[in-house]
């Protein structure tokens, strides 16, 4: 219904690229926690970072289902950290650059992001804030032709090795969410420092805590209008949450397919274990939930691609898809028995990597409240104007 022959050709090409260029290096990157720069350039050369962006800046301006394919296939090489590094660059940092950046900023940052020469990160979450975006404490004070940034951010994907940062900061702390603005700055700007965080999963990606100590940037580094940052963030959260929903259904599919193959080969009591009814029915339950998630997520993707404002639906996508992924991958590990607990089998890493799903990009608890406000309180979330 949603994927044309061109989409499927793109999927096959991407699969082949990932197997040849990425998979041989995954174990190394999982151990070092640093993805080598050459692969970013290869992604850029192949056009993968430009899928959704204007041709004017080197992109391909393709429909959202190419992005869906990009996300799905990244989940099937058993490194949630590598996948996160790629999509956080391409759809968190670059989305803000594309939507709020002026021509000069796009020439400098969007073009080089599409080519893979520059890596970006999006800095919103704070040590004392987390999901409370409006409660952020990082400030940006105007001093003549400059802003001076002070504060800190945490849980930032690509937060250590990226070349530039898209940063949310309070330009007017007195008006809470209406006082937030968005800025872009180079990594080597004096006063920026980063500390790498040690995580349960997503080991290949560099997640950082970033400090801003009197960081001085020109006023032209403001993206969009001053004070409109909260609206921009909320607007783009719909895409981020759908991305995490798609990621969740894709890793669920990867886990189930792996388990089905394993069950067809593993023998117990004189027969392969895919003949035991209890195990077969577990798979039937998982596949049914997976297909429901996929169809819903594809529907939301179509609506978002058509320009609809899908805050409610994207929140539902992330809430349920990540929950179902965690439950399914837990069951998949159980179906592998002792081998599921072994690092040489992919489910152990997948189990750890998947657990971030209900936390990152807005916790499940926050999403439930967003949905409740829409369906019970009749709250309307409006696009930034």
């Amino acid at each position: 219904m949603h994927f044309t022959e061109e989409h499927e050709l793109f999927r096959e090409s991407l699969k082949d690229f990932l197997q040849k260029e990425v998979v041989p290096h995954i174990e190394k990157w999982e151990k070092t926690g640093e993805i080598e720069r050459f692969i970013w350039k290869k992604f850029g050369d192949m056009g993968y970072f430009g899928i959704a962006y204007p041709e004017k800046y080197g992109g391909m301006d393709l429909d959202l289902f190419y992005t869906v394919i990009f996300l799905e296939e990244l989940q099937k090489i058993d490194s949630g950290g590598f996948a996160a590094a790629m999509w956080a660059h391409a759809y968190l940092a670059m989305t803000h650059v594309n939507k709020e950046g002026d021509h000069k900023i796009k020439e400098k940052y969007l073009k080089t992001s599409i080519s893979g020469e520059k890596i970006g990160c999006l800095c919103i979450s704070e040590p004392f804030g987390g999901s409370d975006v409006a409660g952020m404490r990082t400030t940006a004070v105007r001093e003549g032709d400059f802003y001076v940034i002070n504060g800190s951010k945490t849980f930032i994907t690509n937060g250590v090795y990226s070349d530039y940062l898209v940063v949310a900061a309070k330009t007017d702390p007195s008006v809470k969410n209406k006082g937030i603005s968005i800025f872009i700055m180079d990594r080597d700007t004096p006063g920026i420092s980063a500390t790498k965080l040690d995580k349960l999963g997503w080991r290949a990606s560099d997640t950082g805590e970033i400090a801003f100590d009197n960081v001085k940037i020109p006023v032209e580094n403001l993206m969009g209008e001053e004070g409109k940052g909260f609206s921009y963030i909320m607007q783009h959260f719909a895409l981020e949450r759908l991305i995490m929903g798609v990621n969740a259904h894709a890793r669920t599919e990867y886990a189930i397919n792996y388990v089905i193959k394993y069950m067809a080969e593993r023998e117990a009591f004189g027969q392969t274990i895919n003949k035991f009814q209890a195990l077969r029915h577990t798979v039937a339950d998982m596949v049914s939930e997976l297909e429901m998630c996929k169809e819903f997520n594809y529907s939301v993707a179509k609506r978002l691609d058509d320009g609809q404002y899908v805050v409610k639906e994207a929140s539902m996508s992330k809430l349920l898809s990540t929950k179902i992924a965690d439950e399914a991958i837990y069951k998949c590990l159980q179906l592998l028995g002792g081998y599921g607990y072994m690092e040489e089998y992919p489910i152990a890493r997948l189990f750890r990597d998947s657990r971030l799903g209900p936390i990152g990009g807005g916790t499940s608890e926050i999403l439930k409240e967003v949905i409740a406000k829409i369906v019970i309180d009749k709250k309307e979330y409006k696009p930034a104007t």
Side-chain angles (χ1 to χ4, degrees), residues 13 23 25 37 41 53 93 158 210 212 217 276 294:
S13 171
V23 170
H25 306 284
R37 296 293 297 221
K41 191 66 176 67
Y53 295 104
N158 298 334
I210 302 173
F212 303 93
I217 57 171
F276 293 102
K294 281 176 70 175

Side-chain angles (χ1 to χ4, degrees), residues 152-171:
S152 59
K153 303 289 180 180
T154 196
F155 311 136
I156 308 304
T157 303
N158 298 334
V160 179
Y161 301 122
S162 57
D163 301 295
Y164 68 88
L165 304 87
V166 176
V167 181
K170 287 262 181 90
T171 39

